[in-house]
Amino acid sequence: MNGESFVRFGENAGYLAELYQLYLSDPSLVDPAWAEFFRSVDHNGAPNGQVNGRVNGQAHAVEARPSSANALGEKLVEAFRTYGHAAAHVSPLGAGGMKPENPVELQLSYHGETREPSQVALSAFSFGDRSYSSCDQLIRDLKHTYCGAIGFEIAHVTKAHERSWLQSRIEGKVPLFSADEKRQILKDLIRAELFESELHRKYVGTKRFSLEGNDTLIPMLSTVASSAGQAGVKGIVCGMAHRGRLNVLANSIGKPLSMIFAEFEDKTVATIAGAGDVKYHLGWETKRAPNGAEIEISIVPNPSHLEFVNPVVEGIVRALQDKNDRDNRGAYLPLAMHGDAAFAGQGIVFETINYSGIGGYYTGGTLHIVINNQIGFTTTPDESRSTRYCTDLAKGVDCPVFHVNAEDPEAACWLTQLALEYRMAFGKDVIIDLIGHRKHGHNEGDDPSFTQPQTYAEVKGKKVIWQHYAERLVAAGVLSQSDVDAEVEAYKGEFAAASEVVATTLGSEACGIHGRLEVPCGDTGVNKETLLTIARSLTQWPEGFKPHPKLQKIIEKRVETVEAGEGIEWGVAEALAFGSLVLEGHSVRLSGQDCCRGTFSHRHLVLDDYEARRTFSPLVELAQRENASGVFEVYNSSLSEASVLGFEFGYSATNRDALVMWEGQFGDFANGAQVIIDQFITSSESKWGQLSGVVMMLPHGYEGQGPEHSSARLERYLQMCAEGNMRVCYPSTAAQHFHLMRRQGLSEIKRPLIIMTPKSLLRLPAAMSSLSEMVSGSFKPVLETDLSGKKGCKNLVFMSGKVGHDVQAALQGAEKVPARLIRVEELYPFPQGEVARILKETGATNAFWVQEEPQNMGAWSYVAPLLRESLGFDPVYIGRPASAATATGSSKHHALEQKAILSELLARLSK
């Protein structure tokens, strides 16, 4: 078989040739089916002859049909590759840990051989870089490779070339470290354990969520830093929960010990100023230069909601890549550290891994390390999952999984190098399951023997990992016992020295902008010609592009409204805002479920060719055509709220110049992301000094669609507003939305922005705007309509959003009503100054708050005390009565309720 032999295989010829070269170098590197194929075909395509080829320029001939014993050898190799991990000794615990299994597939009898392995001869059988003449030798090395301290799960990886790549690096390879590297591993292990034991002595019983039992994580992280730097990685962004976090902060990220001591003793800025968070939730960042290659390393703040930091890390890394090296996704590495119970139990883990290969969220592959204690608080593995490994669900995304015994630090560090090399080679996720134990209870004040007495009897008698490893190195002559003792004393001295300065350490500076919202930027209007250029770009299809005929007419009609300067609807105003920001050099990123088209078919910023499988994004083309420095991106997301919103939070926290948005398919879909909203979006600045300008667009409005698609739960966001932490708006016209988008995009300091976006208003004539409203002006916190025709007016009707249009239409259709209608477009910060001005102008004595949400929902509970403070008297509530559900499921009953609201208002105004 020569190169020309592959031509008949068409576009697969190159792939087949690559497999053939792997086969020639070692048949075990290819799938057995391919090995059999290559054996059965000679140069002329005739079966059962010889396969001739060249390796390194030398002619070779391989028997087409190997002996039955060699066939048995191939079956054994494949069996160990597939099932060897189950027999691996990956747990350092006895009775309380994961026990090796004895899969039948690893036995000769399973393959029809009844003789003893030593009695089965092989004919120059190759495995790894060795040749074998008997089965017992082969099985011995297969067990050493696949059933030692590492369990390799790679058989599920669907790409043959990836499996072959992994096999070539696993088989016949022994972890080799220089004496200096071994001494560094020992040093890391000593520092990891002494950090915990010295803290335990200094702060007896204080919670720190010790790493002990999985100390090997620290040398693994050192390996990541050095290997990543050599591979050209510029930065590593880490996410992890509280278990071992302080140890990682001190020994891997470089947070000063004195600062950690100050946090233990509550002598930080938070002691005086309030806010802040507990010490094992905080983040840090540093620069390291292992082997001379400088690399930035950071750990992201995380609440006790364990795995919810995962998507935040991915968003941060994507933003770093987009800002600094958009064409090289490998330049920044996401490193996610998990707990075993949480990895299997928290859905956010799989939601995040699920989009690891999706374009809008791709970060070049994440390195996952599971800190596997083989217990979750008091829950054992058989109580917390239905699978053997906590990592089993992750195999669904085609990434390799490696399990390693934490008491073999060299194996763990070698495996870390392999995992990082795989990530850099294939741009995919890879998982290391570091299996150890937990020395103490869930926290240091807990007694784990209440629930796992046998396990903790074993743990109590265990030597710490560094002591085991030190004995090995001393026995091998790598260093002396006095060297080990000196390393121990050196760290204890460092620890003691840091203790001396703790009293003068007050931690990091408080966020200099905490509690203050920047004064909104001024005029956010855009030059008329620029707006026309953007509008016209919406119909400038590429040559040969065929839009949907119906959609083409809709878009052309939209452009005509901009040309005419009147009747511009919501989706067009939004496109004009996005396009103008991009042309001004501000990037715009929007993601969410179905947001390219828009849930309500109102956006259409990505068009599909009617006749070919290709797409066109007019604003992307506009930016390229105009050589704009801003980038426009819009992505349909996976069907996940929490992980996607977390991603956009992380992205916006890093790329603060960009307008970053997440849109819910309906507003109540944000319910699925409540942890991200509560623990990150609304409070990250107060707890961690972490700013974010993420925008949440939540379709909201009562139109008879039932309890699931009516309310975005406005009340929840208003309840969480304080200290200038975010903005909550409910715009009611296209121009208001245009200016709101631009204000957020242009703001130098951005806070989260929550927008109740419309459904029925998207095409409502009363909500449309003129071009002149966008050429000049800015977002107005309050919109007024005076129906009284008098300077003074005794009745003030306050509303927000869609119901304002319903009220205005009802009152304008009635006889002249003595009222001034006030639509509150920005609910937080509340426009108390505007309310005071209106009261002074009108001398009003009556005020009403009208809403379509039930009384225990919507804005009423929030605005009532604020209106009372501004007006000096109590406003009257008009709306639906309190309800357990957000809305009725009957469209007819909805219409009756809506009519009753308007009727009550008319009746009160007529008195």
Side-chain angles (χ1 to χ4, degrees):
M1 182 177 287
N2 55 29
E4 294 179 355
S5 303
F6 298 111
V7 173
R8 67 178 184 272
F9 294 98
E11 63 183 6
N12 296 314
Y15 172 63
L16 198 60
E18 179 185 352
L19 282 181
Y20 183 58
Q21 290 303 316
L22 284 170
Y23 167 79
L24 290 176
S25 63
D26 181 353
S28 67
L29 291 180
V30 301
D31 187 275
W34 280 115
E36 182 62 29
F37 170 78
F38 291 136
R39 287 189 196 96
S40 66
V41 179
D42 66 5
H43 273 301
N44 299 315
N48 303 330
Q50 286 188 330
V51 178
N52 298 301
R54 290 186 173 271
V55 180
N56 297 325
Q58 301 298 314
H60 290 262
V62 181
E63 288 299 319
R65 289 204 178 278
S67 67
S68 59
N70 277 17
L72 174 62
E74 290 182 358
K75 290 178 181 177
L76 284 171
V77 169
E78 195 59 31
F80 274 88
R81 287 171 175 171
T82 305
Y83 304 105
H85 62 86
H89 294 76
V90 295
S91 171
L93 291 177
M98 179 183 292
K99 298 174 180 61
E101 295 181 347
N102 189 20
V104 296
E105 293 86 353
L106 306 186
Q107 311 305 313
L108 283 179
S109 58
Y110 177 82
H111 303 285
E113 178 57 68
T114 58
R115 291 175 292 172
E116 291 297 315
S118 61
Q119 297 175 328
V120 181
L122 299 173
S123 177
F125 184 85
S126 294
F127 170 70
D129 55 3
R130 293 190 61 187
S131 180
Y132 297 86
S133 60
S134 69
C135 253
D136 60 338
Q137 296 171 336
L138 175 63
I139 291 173
R140 180 195 63 213
D141 283 0
L142 284 171
K143 287 182 176 179
H144 179 77
T145 299
Y146 284 108
C147 306
I150 302 174
F152 298 96
E153 286 196 277
I154 59 175
H156 63 278
V157 176
T158 59
K159 303 294 190 299
H161 67 285
E162 291 183 27
R163 293 197 306 274
S164 296
W165 184 94
L166 286 164
Q167 290 158 10
S168 70
R169 283 155 177 79
I170 293 168
E171 294 173 353
K173 303 298 188 292
V174 177
L176 295 176
F177 292 93
S178 68
D180 285 343
E181 288 171 330
K182 291 179 180 180
R183 283 191 286 268
Q184 183 59 51
I185 291 173
L186 177 62
K187 180 178 179 178
D188 284 337
L189 289 171
I190 290 172
R191 295 175 70 86
E193 193 276 331
L194 288 181
F195 173 83
E196 302 290 358
S197 59
E198 293 297 298
L199 276 181
H200 193 61
R201 276 189 283 271
K202 186 175 177 65
Y203 304 107
V204 179
T206 304
K207 286 184 183 179
R208 66 178 192 277
F209 299 101
S210 158
L211 182 62
E212 290 161 290
N214 263 309
D215 318 48
T216 303
L217 176 67
I218 300 304
M220 289 173 70
L221 294 181
S222 293
T223 301
V224 173
S226 59
S227 298
Q230 291 175 328
V233 173
K234 299 175 182 177
I236 301 172
V237 180
C238 305
M240 71 181 299
H242 44 276
R243 172 73 54 206
R245 187 183 187 93
L246 291 175
N247 206 315
V248 170
L249 280 165
N251 287 313
S252 300
I253 311 296
K255 186 171 184 177
L257 286 173
S258 58
M259 193 169 289
I260 294 174
F261 298 160
E263 291 162 356
F264 268 94
E265 298 178 16
D266 203 357
K267 295 178 180 178
T268 68
V269 168
T271 310
I272 301 169
D277 201 349
V278 293
K279 51 191 169 292
Y280 38 79
H281 289 170
L282 304 178
W284 196 257
E285 60 184 36
T286 190
K287 290 183 179 180
R288 292 180 59 179
N291 303 317
E294 186 175 82
I295 188 168
E296 297 176 358
I297 306 176
S298 63
I299 186 167
V300 180
N302 188 42
S304 285
H305 289 70
L306 300 176
E307 302 289 338
F308 279 83
V309 75
N310 297 350
V312 176
V313 167
E314 300 296 335
I316 289 172
V317 170
R318 176 66 179 234
L320 287 169
Q321 293 169 347
D322 285 353
K323 286 177 65 178
N324 302 320
D325 203 347
R326 182 177 285 269
D327 297 328
N328 179 14
R329 295 292 173 200
Y332 291 85
L333 171 69
L335 198 167
M337 288 168 275
H338 313 269
D340 50 315
F343 194 92
Q346 295 282 299
I348 190 72
V349 175
F350 189 78
E351 287 185 32
T352 305
I353 292 176
N354 179 56
Y355 58 54
S356 62
I358 298 175
Y361 310 90
Y362 178 63
T363 55
T366 299
L367 175 58
H368 301 267
I369 300 177
V370 180
I371 306 168
N372 191 337
N373 301 305
Q374 305 190 76
I375 192 169
F377 207 140
T378 66
T379 305
T380 54
D382 61 300
E383 295 172 312
S384 66
R385 61 178 185 264
S386 301
T387 59
R388 174 171 173 80
Y389 300 115
C390 64
T391 54
D392 279 340
L393 287 179
K395 290 190 289 188
V397 293
D398 206 34
C399 66
V401 180
F402 308 130
H403 311 276
V404 62
N405 191 316
E407 293 189 354
D408 191 335
E410 288 187 18
C413 290
W414 174 80
L415 193 59
T416 302
Q417 292 174 337
L418 175 66
L420 184 62
E421 189 181 355
Y422 176 88
R423 185 263 182 182
M424 299 304 292
F426 299 105
K428 291 174 60 177
D429 283 27
V430 58
I431 298 171
I432 300 175
D433 181 17
L434 177 66
I435 304 177
H437 67 272
R438 189 187 67 197
K439 182 174 180 178
H440 305 286
H442 178 66
N443 61 65
E444 286 65 34
D446 189 27
D447 187 346
S449 66
F450 289 162
T451 49
Q452 281 82 33
Q454 291 82 22
T455 297
Y456 276 89
E458 179 185 354
V459 168
K460 190 175 181 180
K462 269 187 168 293
K463 275 188 179 181
V464 296
I465 296 174
W466 73 259
Q467 290 174 341
H468 275 297
Y469 189 56
E471 289 171 1
R472 282 175 51 193
L473 297 189
V474 170
V478 174
L479 77 176
S480 65
Q481 185 60 49
S482 61
D483 293 330
V484 177
D485 296 340
E487 194 65 57
V488 171
E489 291 307 313
Y491 184 77
K492 288 183 176 180
E494 182 181 330
F495 195 93
S499 300
E500 295 295 323
V501 298
V502 63
T504 61
T505 303
L506 286 178
S508 58
E509 294 182 3
C511 178
I513 49 177
H514 167 70
R516 297 201 302 270
L517 273 172
E518 182 197 20
V519 176
C521 54
D523 194 317
T524 49
V526 177
N527 177 275
K528 179 180 178 180
E529 290 305 314
T530 300
L531 294 176
L532 289 171
T533 297
I534 297 166
R536 291 163 185 160
S537 75
L538 301 179
T539 55
Q540 291 174 351
W541 340 109
E543 184 177 351
F545 185 88
K546 301 290 185 184
H548 192 292
K550 182 178 178 181
L551 184 56
Q552 179 175 348
K553 293 178 182 178
I554 292 172
I555 295 175
E556 289 172 346
K557 178 65 176 176
R558 290 179 174 182
V559 175
E560 289 173 8
T561 63
V562 181
E563 298 276 7
E566 296 292 340
I568 299 172
E569 62 184 45
W570 207 278
V572 181
E574 183 182 77
L576 294 176
F578 293 165
S580 63
L581 286 168
V582 170
L583 292 181
E584 292 167 9
H586 301 276
S587 292
V588 174
R589 177 186 167 93
L590 168 63
S591 87
Q593 295 155 14
D594 311 294
C595 66
C596 291
R597 189 202 78 167
T599 301
F600 312 103
S601 199
H602 64 285
R603 184 169 289 124
H604 295 294
L605 290 181
V606 176
L607 305 178
D608 289 271
D609 194 302
Y610 193 59
E611 298 177 353
R613 293 186 65 85
R614 60 173 175 165
T615 59
F616 161 65
S617 178
L619 295 186
V620 171
E621 295 291 327
L622 172 67
Q624 294 173 353
R625 190 166 54 247
E626 299 293 329
N627 294 315
S629 57
V631 176
F632 177 76
E633 297 176 296
V634 55
Y635 298 108
N636 288 336
S637 75
S638 61
L639 196 63
S640 164
E641 292 79 38
S643 68
V644 178
L645 180 57
F647 185 102
E648 303 307 339
F649 169 85
Y651 193 101
S652 68
T654 302
N655 191 350
R656 296 180 188 171
D657 295 329
L659 175 62
V660 182
M661 297 159 285
W662 175 80
E663 181 175 63
Q665 192 177 85
F666 285 88
D668 55 345
F669 279 32
N671 291 349
Q674 202 63 49
V675 172
I676 298 294
I677 296 165
D678 292 356
Q679 303 299 328
F680 291 91
I681 290 175
T682 64
S683 58
S684 66
E685 183 182 357
S686 177
K687 293 189 295 187
W688 312 316
Q690 183 181 37
L691 281 172
S692 165
V694 69
V695 178
M696 294 178 63
M697 296 200 289
L698 307 173
H700 175 87
Y702 282 59
E703 289 121 350
Q705 295 189 49
E708 304 310 320
H709 295 324
S710 296
S711 175
R713 293 288 190 175
L714 171 62
E715 63 278 0
R716 291 181 179 171
Y717 301 96
L718 293 174
Q719 185 183 46
M720 292 185 282
C721 289
E723 301 180 305
N725 62 332
M726 58 184 179
R727 295 183 184 274
V728 179
C729 298
Y730 195 171
S732 60
T733 71
Q736 282 284 86
H737 185 65
F738 170 88
H739 287 294
L740 184 57
M741 291 287 96
R742 283 188 50 77
R743 185 182 77 174
Q744 183 73 0
L746 294 172
S747 294
E748 184 177 348
I749 299 174
K750 297 180 177 65
R751 299 309 205 294
L753 170 61
I754 315 301
I755 310 176
M756 302 292 113
T757 54
K759 295 174 286 180
S760 60
L761 298 192
L762 290 170
R763 299 173 181 85
L764 183 74
M768 295 177 183
S769 299
S770 66
L771 190 63
S772 62
E773 292 177 85
M774 301 175 208
V775 169
S776 62
S778 60
F779 177 79
K780 297 178 175 59
V782 167
L783 294 180
E784 300 176 60
T785 303
D786 191 354
L787 300 180
S788 67
K790 302 176 182 178
K791 186 175 181 181
C793 179
K794 68 175 184 176
N795 296 315
L796 301 180
V797 181
F798 292 92
M799 309 153 291
S800 191
K802 169 187 164 290
V803 75
H805 290 286
D806 297 339
V807 167
Q808 187 162 333
L811 296 187
Q812 287 178 334
E815 295 183 7
K816 200 165 190 179
V817 177
R820 182 176 290 197
L821 308 184
I822 302 152
R823 296 206 297 266
V824 181
E825 305 275 293
E826 184 166 61
L827 288 157
Y828 185 81
F830 190 72
Q832 286 181 299
E834 289 290 290
V835 174
R837 174 188 60 79
I838 293 168
L839 180 64
K840 184 176 181 180
E841 286 180 3
T842 60
T845 55
N846 300 317
F848 306 91
W849 176 263
V850 183
Q851 67 177 41
E852 53 188 358
E853 301 89 352
Q855 189 171 6
N856 58 325
M857 303 175 195
W860 169 244
S861 297
Y862 164 78
V863 300
L866 294 170
L867 286 173
R868 186 183 305 116
E869 181 182 341
S870 296
L871 297 170
F873 54 86
D874 288 327
V876 175
Y877 170 80
I878 298 177
R880 286 176 170 81
S883 170
T886 56
T888 176
S890 164
S891 58
K892 290 182 179 179
H893 198 273
H894 159 80
L896 292 173
E897 291 176 344
Q898 205 78 355
K899 184 177 180 180
I901 293 171
L902 300 174
S903 297
E904 181 182 355
L905 176 62
L906 279 169
R908 288 182 176 274
L909 292 175
S910 299
K911 290 181 180 178

